[in-house]
Amino acid sequence: MIIVFLGPPGAGKGTQCKRLVERYGVNHLSSGDILRRERKEGTELGKEAQGYMDSGQLVPDDLIVAMMMKEIQPASNGAGVVLDGFPRTIGQARALDEALEKAGQRVDVALNLGVDDDKLEQRITGRRSCPSCGAVYHMAFNPPKNGETCDKDGASLVQRSDDTSEVVRHRIATYHEQTAPLIDFYEKSSLHNIDGNVSIDDVTGQMFAAVDDVKGKAGM
Ligand code: AMP
């Protein structure tokens, strides 16, 4: 099963993807996480992506499509894959469809997690993560027990360099310009709208219902 997860930055895609992995055993591929790994390792791709990421712009399609296709082919076997943050432009979505068609596959469901703009900035700027175990916190909604240290291993939490107010505003504008048109793109085939303004558990409930429905209809 191939799941595309759409939604603005800060909508909670990462949190919900972890729950999809637990329930359905799918692989989770986050284009943002892969790019951050490339940057940490100092690869050519990481260096090329850096300037775009730090200013809240999208990395060019050709780089992203090549990077993601390498990962999607092996990950989409077995239980399948949830794509988090990819595709993010119509060009990327078309490239994905073409590659999947060649492999006899298709996007089974596109989940569109909608959150009002005024909530996004607060959700993103309060976000902190643990550099050693990857646990994610929010200073207002899901704070760590002691200051800004990880509950699991005591490491000092960090803020993503692109989670500051100025860059966040740019990322939200980029989403409206370049990624929101994907809602129409998937509307005709596989779109399920999910209200992301409610609690984390309520969002999960809507998401599981949508995926169960698709699986039931397709006999998966
Ligand atoms: P994210 O972690 O998904 O918020 O992504 C962080 C940054 O990585 C974005 O602001 C973009 O600069 C870049 N990025 C991630 N996914 C893509 C994509 N599919 N296309 C272009 N740029 C991307």
Side-chain angles (χ1 to χ4, degrees):
M1 150 165 253
I2 297 180
I3 304 171
V4 161
F5 218 126
L6 299 173
K13 298 190 294 294
T15 302
Q16 298 298 338
C17 281
K18 284 189 187 137
R19 295 184 172 196
L20 284 175
V21 170
E22 279 163 21
R23 180 167 165 121
Y24 300 103
V26 289
N27 293 300
H28 176 202
L29 282 184
S30 153
S31 49
D33 284 351
I34 297 170
L35 286 169
R36 281 184 285 279
R37 192 182 68 210
E38 297 278 337
R39 283 180 65 167
K40 213 168 162 186
E41 290 171 358
T43 64
E44 273 312 305
L45 172 59
K47 284 180 200 151
E48 281 193 67
Q50 190 162 335
Y52 297 102
M53 294 173 79
D54 286 345
S55 59
Q57 288 172 272
L58 294 184
V59 175
D61 280 357
D62 52 342
L63 295 179
I64 290 290
V65 167
M67 174 187 95
M68 290 304 288
M69 290 313 167
K70 257 197 302 193
E71 306 265 349
I72 291 171
Q73 301 297 355
S76 62
N77 294 324
V81 65
V82 53
L83 301 177
D84 167 7
F86 176 86
R88 230 155 156 136
T89 64
I90 296 282
Q92 292 178 17
R94 291 209 175 106
L96 174 66
D97 274 359
E98 275 168 31
L100 291 178
E101 203 181 326
K102 278 188 199 140
Q105 294 173 304
R106 67 187 163 85
V107 172
D108 296 291
V109 55
L111 301 172
N112 175 38
L113 185 56
V115 176
D116 299 339
D117 274 6
D118 56 1
K119 294 199 175 65
L120 294 174
E121 196 174 328
Q122 191 198 9
R123 285 195 186 183
I124 301 180
T125 54
R127 186 159 69 179
R128 300 288 183 279
S129 64
C130 174
S132 64
C133 74
V136 179
Y137 299 87
H138 190 283
M139 295 316 289
F141 308 135
N142 173 31
K145 292 194 182 80
N146 295 313
E148 291 210 15
T149 56
C150 181
D151 292 349
K152 293 181 184 147
D153 55 27
S156 292
L157 301 179
V158 292
Q159 182 180 38
R160 266 171 54 175
S161 58
D162 60 348
D163 274 355
T164 54
S165 293
E166 195 193 337
V167 182
V168 164
R169 278 186 218 125
H170 204 124
R171 286 165 62 202
I172 294 170
T174 302
Y175 164 80
H176 284 297
E177 277 161 31
Q178 300 191 55
T179 307
L182 289 181
I183 298 169
D184 270 355
F185 182 89
Y186 286 113
E187 178 96 64
K188 296 165 205 110
S189 53
S190 49
L191 192 79
H192 281 254
N193 284 306
I194 295 184
D195 179 6
N197 293 295
V198 295
S199 74
I200 294 179
D201 287 345
D202 286 348
V203 172
T204 304
Q206 296 176 60
M207 178 179 75
F208 286 171
V211 174
D212 286 345
D213 183 46
V214 170
K215 279 171 81 83
K217 282 186 183 139
M220 288 176 179

